[in-house]
Amino acid sequence: MDLALYCPQLGYYTRQREKIGAKGDFFTSSHLSFDFGELLAEQLIDMWQVLGQPNPFTVVEMGAGQGLLAVDILRYLERRDLDCFSALSYLILEKSAAHVIEQRQRLGRWIEKGARIDWTTIENIPEASIVGCFFSNELVDAFPVHLVTVQDHQLKEIYVELIDNRFSEAIAELSSERITKYFDFMGVDVSRYAEGYRTEVNLAALDWMDAIAKRLKSGFILTIDYGYSATRYYNPMRSGGTLQCYYQHSHHNDPYIYVGEQDITAHVNHGAAITGRIVRIADCGINSARFIFNGVRLGRSIIAIDSHRTDQ
């Protein structure tokens, strides 16, 4: 999954190909209207005030895609709260060189006016240096996962083999003891589940959260993604896992076709592992998108879902 998505020049997210929007494979909320970014901007204003209105107030967007969400946030902050906007330092973490080019083009109007906007990597951010917010939208579901299954009442891992130029699956021992510890921490014994039960373990999400937590001096981590609580995610009735693929706006569950040309995702475990208890950060809670839209009042109606943006 890591190679299929992130192999240099050949991976889905690294090759120069339109992935998001009408000509791509899927939409995100920022493609449908400005409201999502403006709601996030309102939340960022609240965070800035809670933190004592720091300057700089550093917002780190991880995986900014085509830059549409950044545009909506910056435009709204500039109009809604100039003091917060003036204190803002906007950092983008982006693996895709093609996306960086697109982001720079879209954000050029603010860069020309001297706004603090820059691109960096997580490794280049010093530990305990960020006062502000790390946030992502539909990022963690694209992290490579470990596929596991139950065989003879034991937890095994599913590997990928290449035989006669075709991909096939092979079942063997777990590649890391961290997988066992992960389920122990969740309080879930999947070895008791039915034969053939399969699911995913996103260890990369734990490493990602740990890296962010080390660099946050004071502030918030906000991640928005499809997912479930640990109890719902690892329910024995969810016997096929959540791995799914998107290709030209069609949805299926075969990751071994269109390799490098389709998106591969797995839902996020919004349980204790992702909310930060493993890496010792405070858990502010989990809300549904509906709750966010109802809780942040913009005082205007939501644009119809079939409306189109003019700046794509």
Side-chain angles (χ1 to χ4, degrees):
M1 183 173 174
D2 187 34
L3 288 173
L5 295 179
Y6 301 109
C7 177
Q9 285 81 52
L10 298 176
Y12 178 75
Y13 283 109
T14 55
R15 66 193 306 177
Q16 292 193 357
R17 174 183 177 273
E18 195 161 354
K19 310 167 188 69
I20 312 173
K23 296 180 181 179
D25 301 300
F26 58 91
F27 287 99
T28 64
S29 299
S30 55
H31 285 79
L32 302 179
S33 79
F34 311 115
D35 294 274
F36 186 65
E38 295 183 354
L39 289 167
L40 288 179
E42 279 285 345
Q43 185 67 76
L44 290 172
I45 293 171
D46 288 344
M47 292 176 179
W48 177 64
Q49 293 172 345
V50 167
L51 292 172
Q53 301 183 358
N55 188 352
F57 172 57
T58 303
V59 172
V60 185
E61 182 178 1
M62 300 164 287
Q66 295 175 325
L68 293 174
L69 193 54
V71 167
D72 294 341
I73 289 172
L74 290 169
R75 180 169 49 208
Y76 186 79
L77 287 178
E78 187 177 31
R79 184 176 70 245
R80 170 73 168 79
D81 194 318
L82 193 56
D83 289 337
C84 181
F85 178 80
S86 299
L88 183 68
S89 175
Y90 203 97
L91 295 179
I92 294 177
L93 309 185
E94 179 60 64
K95 282 188 173 183
S96 170
H99 278 164
V100 170
I101 293 172
E102 197 167 2
Q103 292 158 14
R104 288 186 183 275
Q105 291 173 343
R106 281 208 162 91
L107 300 174
R109 73 186 85 167
W110 289 285
I111 296 174
E112 291 174 359
K113 291 190 291 186
R116 290 178 286 188
I117 302 172
D118 204 357
W119 285 257
T120 188
T121 64
I122 191 68
E123 293 80 12
N124 286 335
I125 299 177
E127 292 189 7
S129 64
I130 298 297
V131 177
C133 176
F134 283 88
F135 86 92
S136 67
N137 178 45
E138 297 190 39
L139 172 69
V140 184
D141 70 328
F143 286 176
V145 297
H146 294 260
L147 282 180
V148 296
T149 188
V150 174
Q151 185 183 68
D152 298 328
H153 303 291
Q154 292 184 323
L155 185 63
K156 302 286 187 176
E157 188 160 359
I158 300 172
Y159 296 85
V160 180
E161 295 181 326
L162 186 64
I163 300 177
D164 295 331
N165 209 33
R166 295 175 63 89
F167 292 111
S168 62
E169 294 184 345
I171 299 175
E173 298 300 319
L174 299 178
S175 61
S176 171
E177 64 177 11
R178 293 179 66 196
I179 297 174
T180 302
K181 292 179 179 179
Y182 175 93
F183 282 110
D184 288 344
F185 187 84
M186 294 291 104
V188 176
D189 183 5
V190 295
S191 66
R192 300 173 58 185
Y193 291 2
E195 182 79 3
Y197 172 91
R198 60 190 289 165
T199 190
E200 309 87 24
V201 175
N202 194 338
L203 296 181
L206 302 185
D207 298 335
W208 171 79
M209 184 66 76
D210 183 54
I212 295 170
K214 288 178 179 177
R215 287 157 176 82
L216 187 65
K217 180 179 180 180
S218 178
F220 301 85
I221 299 172
L222 174 63
T223 180
I224 303 158
D225 230 314
Y226 299 97
Y228 304 107
S229 66
T231 303
R232 291 185 61 195
Y233 198 114
Y234 297 115
N235 189 300
M237 299 298 292
R238 196 180 303 282
S239 58
T242 70
L243 194 76
Q244 51 198 332
C245 308
Y246 294 90
Y247 179 72
Q248 296 182 357
H249 296 283
S250 64
H251 166 264
H252 64 90
N253 60 2
D254 187 351
Y256 306 119
I257 61 175
Y258 309 126
V259 177
E261 298 180 355
Q262 67 177 357
D263 191 22
I264 307 174
T265 77
H267 278 40
V268 177
N269 170 15
H270 288 312
I274 303 304
T275 55
R277 296 187 185 103
I278 283 180
V279 294
R280 297 182 298 280
I281 58 176
D283 177 8
C284 293
I286 302 170
N287 287 324
S288 69
R290 180 186 302 173
F291 191 87
I292 292 173
F293 272 82
N294 288 337
V296 182
R297 303 185 184 278
L298 293 179
R300 61 185 180 84
S301 59
I302 301 299
I303 297 174
I305 196 168
D306 62 349
S307 66
H308 66 278
R309 300 180 57 114
T310 59
D311 61 344
Q312 289 191 42

